[in-house]
Amino acid sequence: MKLLLGKNRTYLLIPRAWTRVGNKAVGWLMPFELAVLVPVLVIFGISQPDLYRSDMWQIGFDNKLNSNPNMVLYAYANYRPLPTVPLIWSSTLTNFNVAISIISLFFLLAKLIAFIMKMYYPIFAVFINVALIALYSVSVYGQVGPDYADPRYPASAAWYFRQGCGLAQKYGKFKSCQIAQASLGVTLLMLVFYLVNLGFAIYARWPNQENHLAYEDDQNSTTSDPKERSMSTWEMQSMKSPVSANAVPFTPRTQAFHTLDRQLPLRQQT
């Protein structure tokens, strides 16, 4: 199926081939993407339901670096409206990270299968990478952790990104703090992978001479009708083999005439 766009219907939307560089880059990026996705799955998986979130929140409040973890309890006790828990300290972010890691694995497997079958077109890559970039951008924003719930201790970012994990040592939570830092690191790596993939996909969608040449090569390398390809090969066999000067060229039509000549009744009577 071909879908052409433009005033003169010269822009091929589907199927539009990858450029040579883009095709190789997308193929080589998949193993590296899997190598980063495995730590993402592990870190997000062990972080659920609450490996370090509440501890880091409490340590930050003890050192006047973020809001109070007991704000919800105080609101219940004083019959006040429930405050909005910052995204970084909420279970919503933890569950969200687990969900996007599983979604990433699903898309990676689907992309690998489609790439092997030569059905992973750039237009699909654009939509997939844009969606994943949006998801991971939300995750990065949540993990960086702006916390303005307590006006006394506003925080533009989580304290362990601003001051390191030194404060967590005396609480015995140094490893948990490092996991929290590593969580943001692998998330940023995944975001970079999707941005690079999106760049190659957009370049392949952009009208350029290299893309047209790549598509023409793909079209010329595969014959649409196998019957025509075998027929042309058969007809040219006699031309490639050496023949004498008096020999009659042999073609499928020659064989048909010989068969017809043997079946004529007048020929058999004479």
Side-chain angles (χ1 to χ4, degrees):
M1 183 186 70
K2 294 182 180 180
L3 182 59
L4 300 175
L5 298 178
K7 184 177 180 180
N8 298 324
R9 299 184 64 82
T10 58
Y11 180 81
L12 183 65
L13 181 65
I14 297 177
R16 189 170 182 83
W18 292 88
T19 60
R20 292 182 177 87
V21 176
N23 188 52
K24 292 181 179 179
V26 170
W28 280 104
L29 282 173
M30 288 186 192
F32 295 101
E33 182 181 342
L34 178 61
V36 178
L37 182 57
V38 171
V40 169
L41 289 165
V42 173
I43 292 176
F44 287 168
I46 64 176
S47 298
Q48 195 183 36
D50 188 6
L51 176 65
Y52 57 81
R53 185 180 68 250
S54 297
D55 294 331
M56 298 300 106
W57 194 3
Q58 185 64 51
I59 293 172
F61 177 72
D62 292 343
N63 293 272
K64 300 180 180 181
L65 298 174
N66 52 240
S67 59
N68 190 350
N70 297 319
M71 61 170 63
V72 177
L73 295 178
Y74 290 156
Y76 276 118
N78 295 286
Y79 300 98
R80 294 180 180 178
L82 295 179
T84 301
V85 177
L87 182 60
I88 185 175
W89 310 125
S90 66
S91 60
T92 302
L93 179 63
T94 305
N95 298 330
F96 177 80
N97 288 337
V98 174
I100 65 173
S101 63
I102 296 174
I103 292 173
S104 300
L105 179 61
F106 169 77
F107 276 121
L108 179 59
L109 295 176
K111 180 170 63 175
L112 177 61
I113 295 172
F115 185 80
I116 294 174
M117 298 178 65
K118 300 186 182 301
M119 296 180 62
Y120 185 58
Y121 298 124
I123 188 171
F124 300 147
V126 169
F127 287 108
I128 291 173
N129 287 294
V130 166
L132 291 173
I133 287 171
L135 293 175
Y136 275 86
S137 297
V138 173
S139 178
V140 169
Y141 172 79
Q143 292 182 60
V144 170
D147 181 1
Y148 299 107
D150 193 336
R152 298 175 300 171
Y153 312 122
S156 59
W159 61 266
Y160 44 84
F161 294 129
R162 292 178 290 156
Q163 300 187 10
C165 292
L167 292 175
Q169 286 184 339
K170 60 182 179 180
Y171 294 91
K173 300 296 181 181
F174 183 74
K175 290 185 178 180
S176 297
C177 180
Q178 287 184 320
I179 293 175
Q181 291 178 331
S183 176
L184 179 62
V186 293
T187 305
L188 287 173
L189 283 177
M190 291 299 295
L191 183 60
V192 169
F193 274 117
Y194 294 131
L195 286 171
V196 173
N197 276 283
L198 179 62
F200 283 116
I202 292 177
Y203 179 72
R205 300 302 308 163
W206 198 264
N208 57 79
Q209 187 65 22
E210 183 181 356
N211 184 278
H212 290 301
L213 290 176
Y215 179 73
E216 290 176 1
D217 291 343
D218 290 340
Q219 290 295 100
N220 294 332
S221 62
T222 57
T223 304
S224 59
D225 192 354
K227 185 177 180 180
E228 293 180 1
R229 182 173 56 188
S230 60
M231 182 65 72
S232 61
T233 304
W234 186 30
E235 289 183 354
M236 294 302 294
Q237 282 180 352
S238 62
M239 299 181 65
K240 293 180 181 179
S241 59
V243 295
S244 61
N246 298 326
V248 179
F250 180 81
T251 65
R253 296 179 180 84
T254 306
Q255 184 181 10
F257 284 131
H258 283 307
T259 304
L260 182 62
D261 184 65
R262 287 195 300 268
Q263 293 178 356
L264 289 176
L266 295 178
R267 293 282 185 179
Q268 295 177 359
Q269 293 176 4
T270 56

